[in-house]
Amino acid sequence: TYYPTTQRTTRPLVMNTGWQFLDLDLEDLVFAAYGTAYLKTVQVRVSGGCRVGKVYLADRVYADAELPVHLRTLKPPPIGLR
């Protein structure tokens, strides 16, 4: 369920213990909430009540292997264990 206003939309989000990756399709979210096309992101706000390691925007979903090492969610095993 979306709760749109003229300036922002909120949506409940619950994460279970152990999650590492969250992918939000902004085109889909904007269309579902407002019935219009997504244009651009002006601001991203993260509540102080949660711990976030990285936030980044991309034009598509990239496989972990396509990302630079510092942006990967799945770290390679230590050299001795490869």
Side-chain angles (χ1 to χ4, degrees):
T1 303
Y2 295 91
Y3 306 103
T5 65
T6 57
Q7 296 296 316
R8 69 180 187 179
T9 299
T10 59
R11 181 174 185 183
L13 181 64
V14 177
M15 305 298 288
N16 292 326
T17 302
W19 68 276
Q20 289 189 7
F21 180 79
L22 174 64
D23 172 25
L24 299 174
D25 184 340
L26 295 179
E27 289 181 349
D28 182 52
L29 292 173
V30 168
F31 188 78
Y34 297 104
T36 187
Y38 167 79
L39 297 176
K40 64 181 178 179
T41 298
V42 176
Q43 181 181 43
V44 175
R45 186 178 296 182
V46 179
S47 170
C50 65
R51 187 183 310 174
V52 176
K54 299 171 189 143
V55 174
Y56 60 93
L57 304 174
D59 57 341
R60 66 177 177 89
V61 176
Y62 290 88
D64 213 52
E66 294 180 274
L67 297 171
V69 175
H70 69 281
L71 293 177
R72 293 182 183 172
T73 56
L74 304 172
K75 300 294 181 199
I79 293 172
L81 299 176
R82 289 183 193 176

